[in-house]
């Protein structure tokens, strides 16, 4: 299946087009609407009978109008299904060809019979362009429609036979090939994912001297699965392996196959492997393998299922079909290794797995260094600080951050990128672009106090993450933000730290209450966060005396931010109530603490709010200056609780 059908199909297509063209022309533009050609003697008879009203002439053709319609027998009108070969029509508008030997004397005759002789010329014949359009237009239209339709089919769920797709070259490998010359990527360009990089160094070594591995009968790797969330640099790593080894790189995105006409995916895979084997030693990279590599029979992509399976089967066949000595190595990337069909992971296929973790702080700094190599950084830029501000961001995000900062600097007419550019870009990436929102002064002031509340608590609560930036510039959904950055990436949290986080998160609401004595809706987000954290403390981390060290929560997210709210349904109503109470208790205690601290630091709160009203955004230094809180107090961190064997 899937073989191109060649000439036969084309011939059929052309014949079909001509038939369609004829149909369209004869149905929509029937012949016989113009003047009917009549014999010269009939014309002459009519002139003599006084039935010709007017004539006009050009060269030897004369057109005119009869007074009374004249029945004339003409060849079939050309109208489809008219049946008769000849038919009789009543002619009013006529044309006739003048025989040159009879023409002399005609004008006398016309004049004698009162025919109006028009000086104007005949109805102009159709312009050649129009004629061309009439004869080819419908056909072109058909071809256009046909192409459009096949494209649509190729994009939509498959269903038609494979032949159509192949005619338009859709079966050919669309793999992108990168060679040594054009923008070579090496391990120099990859940072912050050292473990994965080290594991792949072996593959480079193998590609460079395959003999070393096979000499003692060992078998070289064939397929390597790169596992990691999007943007961590899996594609980049694969390219770097090819770049380091100096071999061609063939890449393909598996998700493209899902929507294809049946048979196209498989034929592409075949071509991809063929090209790679011809160019061996080489690298094949299949991105988003899970799009086709899902366990067969249970894929989520409805209509494309059989296509998905065919493509998957073809990959399995191809991987079994070459030996490691050929020097082709297949790298594949996925974020969801658990959904892959076990057949893919068997020995001789993707039997090696390399996990690509999101970078830690040191890694993020290294990645930032890679991407700022070619951009002019100002003297105040501290990439360590930028790395500290960006927990959770992966390589692709960091590249984007540098890019945004450079754009911002260029737009401001700066020669270099400043630290503030990074902070602004980060905000834009996280919260969305600035919103031009005209807030009344009172409203802005409220936002300023709210954010100042968060920030002051960030400064004075022992063990809280340092406040790196406060802003009341509206962006996306938010009216203001306070950033606190952990000194290091944290993998384990102490109870006092969590309580401190809750206190800080309630700081906005508490400040509003301290200053205005009432509440606004502005704390919605804060309250959600607070509730999630307190619930986690009670149901997941055994931090409530009333409940004890019992895990009650749903199984689910493993990280602090992703704690799923709620208690697993296996527990009694009474337990639910106790959990609710314990959660409330934590939050209320923390709120009291927030109120107490803000009342105590009311002067600093007012100063910070005023500074925000004036400057909108303050960085770490400016926050400390505005409040007068010395930085050693701000950083008076409690000793970190040692990890309890996480
Ligand atoms: P993935 O394939 O894991 O989704 P990519 O390799 O496509 O991620 O990453 C996109 C871009 O982000 C890369 O081209 C590179 O510019 C940048 N990037 C991602 N990870 C890293 C990294 N570890 N080091 C340097 N740049 C990175
Ligand atoms: Zn808030």
């Amino acid at each position: 299946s899937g073989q191109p059908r060649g000439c036969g199909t084309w011939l059929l297509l052309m014949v079909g087009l001509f038939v369609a063209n004829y149909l369209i022309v004869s149905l929509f533009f029937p012949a016989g609407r113009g003047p009917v050609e009549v014999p010269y003697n009939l014309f002459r008879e009519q002139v003599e009978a006084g039935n010709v009203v007017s004539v006009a002439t050009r060269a030897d053709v004369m057109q005119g109008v009869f007074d009374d319609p004249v029945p004339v027998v003409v060849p079939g009108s050309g109208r489809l299904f008219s049946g008769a070969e000849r038919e009789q029509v009543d002619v009013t508008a006529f044309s006739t060809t003048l025989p040159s030997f009879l023409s002399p004397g005609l004008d006398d005759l016309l004049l004698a019979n009162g025919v109006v002789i028009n000086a104007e010329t005949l109805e102009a014949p159709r312009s050649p362009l129009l004629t061309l359009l009439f004869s080819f237009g419908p056909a072109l239209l058909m071809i256009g429609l046909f192409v459009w339709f096949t494209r649509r089919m190729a994009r939509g769920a498959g269903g038609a036979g494979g032949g159509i797709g192949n005619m338009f070259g859709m079966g050919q490998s669309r793999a992108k090939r990168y060679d040594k010359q054009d923008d070579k990527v090496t391990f120099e360009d990859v940072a912050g994912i050292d473990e994965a990089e080290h594991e792949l160094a072996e593959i480079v070594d193998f590609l460079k001297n395959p003999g070393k591995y096979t000499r003692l009968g060992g078998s070289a790797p064939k397929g390597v699965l790169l596992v990691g969330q999007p943007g961590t640099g899996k594609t980049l790593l694969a390219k770097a392996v090819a770049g380091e080894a100096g071999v061609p790189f063939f890449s393909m995105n598996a998700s493209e196959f899902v929507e294809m006409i049946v048979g196209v995916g498989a034929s592409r895979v075949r071509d991809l492997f063929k090209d790679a084997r011809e160019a061996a030693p080489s690298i094949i990279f299949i991105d988003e393998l899970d799009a086709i590599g899902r366990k067969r029979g249970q894929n989520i992509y409805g209509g494309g299922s059989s296509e998905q399976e065919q493509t998957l089967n073809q990959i399995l066949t191809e991987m079994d079909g070459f030996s490691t000595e050929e020097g082709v190595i297949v790298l594949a990337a996925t974020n969801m290794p658990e959904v892959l069909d076990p057949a893919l992971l068997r020995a001789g296929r993707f039997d090696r797995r390399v996990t690509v973790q999101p970078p830690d702080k040191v890694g993020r700094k290294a990645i930032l260094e890679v991407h700022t190599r070619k951009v002019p950084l100002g003297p105040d830029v501290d990439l360590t600080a930028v790395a500290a501000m960006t927990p959770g961001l992966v390589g692709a995000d960091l590249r984007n951050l540098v890019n945004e900062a450079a754009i911002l600097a260029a737009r401001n007419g700066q020669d270099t990128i400043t630290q503030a550019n990074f902070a602004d870009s980060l905000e834009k990436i996280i919260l969305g672009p600035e919103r031009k929102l005209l807030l009344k002064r009172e409203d802005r002031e409220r936002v300023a106090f709210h954010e100042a509340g968060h920030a002051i608590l960030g400064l004075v609560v022992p063990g809280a993450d340092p406040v790196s930036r406060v802003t009341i510039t509206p962006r996306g959904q938010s009216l203001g933000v306070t950033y606190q950055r952990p000194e290091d990436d944290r993998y384990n949290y102490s109870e006092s730290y969590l309580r401190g986080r809750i206190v800080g998160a309630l700081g906005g609401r508490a400040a509003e209450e301290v200053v205005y004595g009432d509440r606004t809706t502005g704390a919605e987000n804060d309250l959600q966060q607070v509730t999630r954290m307190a619930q986690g403390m009670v149901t997941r981390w055994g931090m409530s005396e009333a409940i004890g060290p019992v895990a009650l929560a749903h199984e689910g997210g493993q990280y602090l931010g992703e704690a799923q709210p709620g208690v697993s349904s296996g527990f009694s109503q009474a337990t639910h109530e106790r959990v609710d109470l314990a959660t409330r208790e934590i939050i209320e205690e923390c709120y009291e603490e927030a109120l107490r601290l803000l009342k105590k630091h009311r002067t600093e709160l007012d100063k910070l709010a005023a500074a925000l009203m004036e400057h909108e955004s303050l960085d770490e230094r400016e926050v400390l200056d505005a409040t007068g809180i010395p930085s050693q107090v701000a950083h008076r961190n409690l000793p970190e609780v040692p990890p309890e064997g996480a």
Side-chain angles (χ1 to χ4, degrees):
S1 75
Q3 285 302 314
R5 305 274 163 84
C7 309
T9 323
W10 274 110
L11 203 68
L12 210 71
L13 182 74
M14 290 318 280
V15 171
L17 275 173
F18 278 119
V19 170
N21 200 21
Y22 178 76
L23 273 172
I24 292 173
V25 170
S26 51
L27 277 177
F28 294 100
F29 308 101
R33 280 201 308 182
V36 176
E37 171 101 34
V38 298
Y40 177 70
N41 39 351
L42 183 138
F43 159 68
R44 194 130 183 165
E45 279 164 30
Q46 292 300 320
V47 175
E48 281 161 2
N51 191 29
V52 175
V53 183
S54 66
V55 292
T57 157
R58 170 193 281 169
D60 55 352
V61 176
M62 179 169 284
Q63 282 181 2
V65 181
F66 295 132
D67 197 3
D68 290 325
V70 179
V72 181
V73 175
V74 296
S77 67
R79 211 184 296 259
L80 200 67
F81 311 128
S82 66
E85 290 217 330
R86 304 179 69 80
E87 55 184 327
Q88 184 170 328
V89 289
D90 290 336
V91 177
T92 311
F94 70 91
S95 78
T96 192
T97 307
L98 306 176
S100 50
F101 57 90
L102 281 179
S103 294
L106 179 63
D107 48 347
D108 293 341
L109 180 72
L110 291 173
L111 288 171
N113 288 284
V115 177
V116 177
I117 302 176
N118 284 316
E120 73 199 51
T121 49
L122 294 179
E123 178 189 299
R126 280 191 198 137
S127 82
L129 191 74
L130 209 68
T131 312
L132 209 69
L133 214 77
F134 262 66
S135 30
F136 288 105
L140 286 176
L141 197 77
M142 289 295 291
I143 293 178
L145 271 172
F146 185 72
V147 169
W148 177 76
F149 188 63
T150 28
R151 286 254 177 90
R152 257 181 66 99
M153 285 207 310
R155 247 182 281 129
I164 296 172
N166 283 325
M167 267 181 347
F168 288 91
M170 288 195 292
Q172 257 112 64
S173 162
R174 248 211 261 136
K176 285 165 240 141
R177 176 180 168 150
Y178 297 92
D179 268 312
K180 304 164 199 179
Q181 298 88 334
D182 51 292
D183 69 316
K184 177 176 162 175
V185 175
T186 67
F187 283 151
E188 288 282 285
D189 303 305
V190 186
I193 45 176
D194 299 342
E195 286 147 50
E197 199 176 312
H198 290 150
E199 287 192 56
L200 289 177
E202 189 198 330
I203 308 268
V204 174
D205 202 30
F206 165 76
L207 286 168
K208 277 184 172 160
N209 19 240
K212 183 170 140 194
Y213 288 80
T214 46
R215 191 172 57 87
L216 298 176
S219 82
K222 213 178 199 182
V224 180
L225 192 62
L226 301 173
V227 178
Q229 67 183 74
T232 42
K234 300 181 293 296
T235 311
L236 188 71
L237 259 180
K239 275 188 199 165
V241 168
E244 288 285 336
V247 303
F249 175 81
F250 296 86
S251 94
M252 208 159 210
N253 193 322
S255 64
E256 285 171 18
F257 295 131
V258 178
E259 308 175 329
M260 287 219 184
I261 292 173
V262 173
V264 175
S267 103
R268 281 233 198 128
V269 168
R270 204 177 312 122
D271 288 345
L272 173 68
F273 276 79
K274 188 166 145 272
D275 292 350
R277 284 166 76 174
E278 275 164 11
S282 63
I283 294 270
I284 294 176
F285 178 67
I286 305 175
D287 206 356
E288 297 185 56
L289 184 65
D290 46 274
I292 40 168
R294 281 173 185 274
K295 296 185 184 88
R296 279 166 286 189
Q298 57 166 63
N299 78 97
I300 54 168
Y301 303 101
S305 94
S306 55
E307 172 61 3
Q308 181 224 323
E309 293 188 3
Q310 280 195 23
T311 310
L312 174 56
N313 289 339
Q314 192 63 40
I315 289 182
L316 296 177
T317 309
E318 293 292 343
M319 290 209 57
D320 295 342
F322 70 90
S323 76
T324 48
E325 280 105 70
E326 285 184 51
V328 176
I329 291 185
V330 189
L331 303 178
T334 181
N335 188 24
M336 300 181 273
E338 64 283 353
V339 305
L340 292 181
D341 195 297
L344 269 171
L345 307 175
R346 240 175 258 146
R349 292 169 182 167
F350 294 101
D351 50 4
R352 291 213 185 178
R353 183 179 293 203
V354 172
T355 306
V356 186
Q357 299 280 7
D360 59 9
K361 194 168 97 175
V362 177
R364 289 195 299 273
K365 184 181 178 207
I367 294 173
L368 286 167
E369 275 164 354
V370 166
H371 289 285
T372 50
R373 277 200 297 238
K374 284 181 196 135
V375 299
L377 293 182
D380 72 326
V381 171
D382 178 1
L383 291 182
T384 309
V386 177
M389 288 190 302
T390 49
L393 297 203
V394 295
D397 302 327
L398 294 168
R399 184 187 62 167
N400 189 14
L401 176 67
V402 172
N403 197 33
E404 284 287 338
I407 290 172
L408 204 62
R411 200 184 296 147
N412 295 348
Q414 298 161 213
D415 292 330
T416 58
I417 301 176
T418 63
Q419 186 76 4
N421 294 148
F422 279 106
D424 285 337
S425 315
L426 182 62
E427 234 157 71
K428 184 174 167 194
I429 288 173
I430 294 176
L431 299 175
E434 248 176 64
R435 206 146 53 110
K436 288 279 160 270
L437 200 63
L438 278 185
L439 286 182
K440 282 189 299 216
R441 195 186 152 79
E442 306 101 82
D443 292 338
R444 274 187 78 222
E445 199 180 70
R446 223 179 226 279
V447 177
F449 271 108
H450 180 107
E451 296 309 327
H454 287 305
I456 294 289
L457 294 180
L459 295 177
V460 303
V461 169
D465 297 324
V467 175
S468 57
R469 182 174 162 89
V470 189
T471 170
I472 56 166
T473 307
R475 276 177 195 278
Q477 291 299 326
S478 90
L479 297 177
V481 197
T482 300
Y483 293 94
Q484 286 171 266
R485 55 172 175 81
E487 292 283 76
D488 293 293
D489 293 315
R490 288 170 179 269
Y491 300 100
N492 197 7
Y493 303 87
S494 70
E495 184 179 349
S496 67
Y497 171 81
L498 290 174
R499 280 190 175 256
R501 278 266 295 255
I502 297 177
V503 172
L506 289 167
R509 161 60 61 94
E512 290 184 49
E513 183 150 345
V514 167
V515 176
Y516 300 99
D518 67 354
R519 304 162 186 175
T520 63
T521 55
E524 180 174 349
N525 230 327
D526 299 335
L527 297 183
Q528 282 169 358
Q529 259 189 33
V530 160
T531 309
R532 225 183 310 129
M533 275 191 283
Q535 264 176 359
M537 289 174 71
V538 174
T539 62
R540 302 162 62 87
W541 306 310
M543 291 174 179
S544 156
E545 308 312 321
I547 302 293
V550 185
L552 300 173
H554 296 290
E555 294 189 16
Q558 298 160 29
Y559 309 108
L560 183 62
E562 299 171 16
Q564 281 201 359
V567 174
S568 157
S569 53
F571 294 91
S572 69
Q573 189 59 36
T575 307
H576 281 261
E577 279 162 19
R578 279 184 19 239
V579 165
D580 287 346
L581 248 140
T583 307
R584 277 244 323 254
E585 198 178 286
I586 292 177
I587 297 177
E588 276 164 8
E589 282 166 16
C590 290
Y591 190 61
E592 287 309 314
E593 177 69 358
L595 287 174
R596 187 184 70 78
L597 286 170
L598 286 179
K599 282 176 190 152
K600 183 173 160 201
H601 293 280
R602 179 64 201 259
T603 342
E604 289 92 339
L605 180 68
D606 290 345
K607 282 187 195 161
L608 186 54
L612 278 172
M613 287 298 285
E614 188 179 347
H615 302 292
E616 272 205 6
S617 293
L618 302 174
D619 65 16
E620 186 164 358
R621 181 79 259 150
E622 291 163 335
V623 168
L624 295 176
D625 288 347
T627 55
I629 297 177
S631 66
Q632 55 267 39
V633 177
H635 287 212
R636 184 192 42 174
N637 290 358
L638 285 183
E640 199 71 50
V641 174
E644 292 135 310

